[in-house]
Amino acid sequence: MLKKTGCLGVLLGILLSVIAVAGIVIIVIWADDRRVNSDESTRRRITSSTGIEIPIDSKIVYHFYQAGFQDSIEYTVFKFENGSPDWLKENSFSEGKNEDFESSFNSYFSGWIKDRVPEEYIPEFENSYFWLETQNNYLIYFPHNLMLIVYITPF
């Protein structure tokens, strides 16, 4: 009887250890996900990828980020309080319709990524916009709704 109790104790100890380790792993993954998707880290990644610093008076209204083995994809929508586009000119954004830009954007923004983005955050190119393409990363500012879309492609 003593042998069975000792063996059960060891098994129970092992089981509790496995549960504790799994709990710690889950907490670490959750904390890392919150850090990666924080406002500050999102802005830092965008600046690093595009060379553009998004003004701090903007608010992130939608954000999707997925990291892969050697690449990542990120789609972020910012909403501005006022429509002063001075920083657009300072960062060499172009104004007006550009079919080549739209075609290039649409060639990357398709399939599963487009399905992940809510309809209200998909660019409507029939409205006027400012645009910038840097190394297959796309920035589109719409003055009619004061929104900036930043799409960082994995390529």
Side-chain angles (χ1 to χ4, degrees):
M1 183 77 155
L2 189 55
K3 259 185 162 174
K4 283 185 178 180
T5 304
C7 194
L8 286 176
V10 170
L11 288 175
L12 184 59
I14 291 171
L15 180 62
L16 289 175
S17 295
V18 168
I19 290 171
V21 168
I24 291 169
V25 168
I26 289 170
I27 289 170
V28 167
I29 290 171
W30 176 79
D32 187 55
D33 186 55
R34 289 183 53 101
R35 180 189 56 78
V36 164
N37 288 315
S38 74
D39 187 87
E40 183 180 324
S41 62
T42 298
R43 290 173 187 273
R44 205 173 319 128
R45 271 193 315 275
I46 289 170
T47 300
S48 175
S49 295
T50 65
I52 304 297
E53 192 170 322
I54 307 301
I56 201 69
D57 68 335
S58 60
K59 177 182 174 189
I60 296 176
V61 293
Y62 176 78
H63 177 69
F64 172 78
Y65 175 73
Q66 183 173 339
F69 177 63
Q70 292 184 338
D71 58 11
S72 63
I73 190 166
E74 189 158 11
Y75 193 94
T76 308
V77 181
F78 295 88
K79 178 78 172 172
F80 288 82
E81 292 297 318
N82 60 51
S84 175
D86 293 338
W87 68 276
L88 297 170
K89 292 174 186 158
E90 293 166 6
N91 289 292
S92 302
F93 275 70
S94 298
E95 183 177 5
K97 188 167 186 61
N98 183 301
E99 291 183 11
D100 290 336
F101 172 81
E102 293 175 23
S103 177
S104 180
F105 174 87
N106 286 327
S107 71
Y108 286 102
F109 186 68
S110 60
W112 69 270
I113 183 65
K114 188 172 184 177
D115 293 340
R116 300 274 320 233
V117 176
E119 183 97 18
E120 65 265 29
Y121 301 130
I122 295 174
E124 296 176 0
F125 289 117
E126 53 274 354
N127 295 313
S128 66
Y129 60 91
F130 292 80
W131 60 273
L132 179 66
E133 182 177 356
T134 63
Q135 302 169 355
N136 293 329
N137 299 312
Y138 301 88
L139 294 93
I140 312 164
Y141 177 78
F142 292 98
H144 76 280
N145 61 8
L146 306 177
M147 286 203 306
L148 171 71
I149 295 171
V150 179
Y151 179 36
I152 299 173
T153 68
F155 306 102

